[in-house]
Amino acid sequence: MDNNKKSTANKSASLQVYKSQLADSLTKRQISMISIGGIIGAGLFVGSASGIAAVGPAIILSYVLTSILVFLVMRMLGEMAVIQPDTGSFSTYAASAIGPWAGFSIGWLYWWFWVLVIPIEAIAGADILAQYFAMPAWLFALLIVIFLTSVNLFNVKNYGEFEFWFALIKVIAIILFILVAGMAVLGWWPWANTEGISNLYQHGGFMPNGFGAILAGVLLTIFSFFGSEVVSIAAAEAKHPQEKIRKATNLVIYRIAIF
């Protein structure tokens, strides 16, 4: 018992020393928008087409199943972040609960994920921009990567504010997309040639490839939800992390489910 108390005290002391070297500048609104902005990107807009092509209209059910999974994970991750705010987040929790090998593996796998995703997002965004501007896609991709790298060199306060406003732009953009799509389906958008909601039951029906395709679609849709975990990673750089992470996690969960 005494050894457990000493271990807990040592961990708390180490965390306090570590946090003293960080700038506790992130606010609740910034943390929430950083997490929401992380799941709204070029991968969501471009990648959703692959899911629709593979599953059909039933891709909606794949998104529902994925939302439930993300909801459960975020609830548990949020509780751990409140108890032990740490920039290592789930890799630190895995190391504490399972062993150093688990924390090491999860940490490097997460690093590898972002090494792959950032170029994919940059290429997808560059392909979109290249359709509107007379510049090659590779140059847009290079500029996007340089821009993202520069933003990450800001101090925490300025980085959080930058991410908040740019994430807000993405939220506004997806809301406008939803409104335009709704108007097109209802026949109120003059520049769209649509068939209403007939595509939901024609061309093979709502589930043209069967129920198994819905489960396979989860593998495609879950990619769109990566980034929501940032709310726990930012815990150690927030003022009063226990209170703000708890509120930010709840807000992120419900907003993700809506989107």
Side-chain angles (χ1 to χ4, degrees):
M1 182 67 71
D2 292 337
N3 290 334
N4 291 336
K5 290 182 178 179
K6 289 181 180 179
S7 177
T8 303
N10 290 334
K11 288 182 180 179
S12 299
S14 300
L15 180 60
Q16 291 299 325
V17 172
Y18 182 65
K19 280 181 62 60
S20 66
Q21 301 173 358
L22 299 174
D24 299 340
S25 303
L26 292 179
T27 63
K28 183 182 70 175
R29 67 179 177 86
Q30 291 173 342
I31 295 173
S32 299
M33 291 301 292
I34 287 173
S35 185
I36 294 172
I39 67 169
I40 302 175
L44 173 63
F45 294 111
V46 178
S48 58
S50 301
I52 295 171
V55 184
I59 191 67
I60 296 173
L61 300 181
S62 299
Y63 274 103
V64 170
L65 292 175
T66 307
S67 297
I68 294 172
L69 179 61
V70 173
F71 177 89
L72 296 174
V73 171
M74 287 300 298
R75 290 292 296 185
M76 293 182 282
L77 188 58
E79 290 181 5
M80 289 186 284
V82 168
I83 295 173
Q84 184 183 342
D86 195 306
T87 53
S89 187
F90 37 83
S91 63
T92 302
Y93 308 146
S96 301
I98 303 175
W101 67 269
F104 177 86
S105 302
I106 291 175
W108 278 105
L109 285 173
Y110 189 62
W111 174 85
W112 181 245
F113 163 77
W114 282 111
V115 166
L116 295 176
V117 166
I118 290 176
I120 292 174
E121 293 277 343
I123 293 171
D127 286 339
I128 295 173
L129 292 173
Q131 298 178 21
Y132 296 96
F133 301 97
M135 287 178 61
W138 69 265
L139 182 57
F140 273 120
L142 178 62
L143 293 175
I144 290 172
V145 171
I146 293 174
F147 179 70
L148 290 176
T149 303
S150 302
V151 170
N152 279 271
L153 297 177
F154 292 168
N155 61 50
V156 174
K157 183 178 180 180
N158 291 336
Y159 172 81
E161 198 64 23
F162 174 89
E163 284 286 337
F164 172 82
W165 288 108
F166 270 71
L168 183 62
I169 292 173
K170 292 196 284 186
V171 170
I172 294 173
I174 199 171
I175 290 175
L176 291 176
F177 273 120
I178 292 171
L179 292 175
V180 170
M183 293 173 65
V185 169
L186 296 173
W188 298 344
W189 191 255
W191 299 281
N193 182 18
T194 63
E195 301 177 9
I197 61 172
S198 60
N199 284 327
L200 294 177
Y201 52 84
Q202 291 182 352
H203 311 294
F206 184 71
M207 291 189 294
N209 299 319
F211 183 77
I214 297 175
L215 298 179
V218 172
L219 298 176
L220 298 172
T221 58
I222 201 167
F223 177 80
S224 301
F225 286 84
F226 278 100
S228 57
E229 75 286 343
V230 174
V231 68
S232 64
I233 295 176
E237 297 191 79
K239 297 178 181 178
H240 310 295
Q242 284 78 6
E243 176 186 355
K244 292 185 177 178
I245 295 302
R246 176 175 57 81
K247 293 181 179 179
T249 300
N250 289 332
L251 288 174
V252 166
I253 288 172
Y254 299 129
R255 289 173 182 171
I256 287 174
I258 291 173
F259 281 119

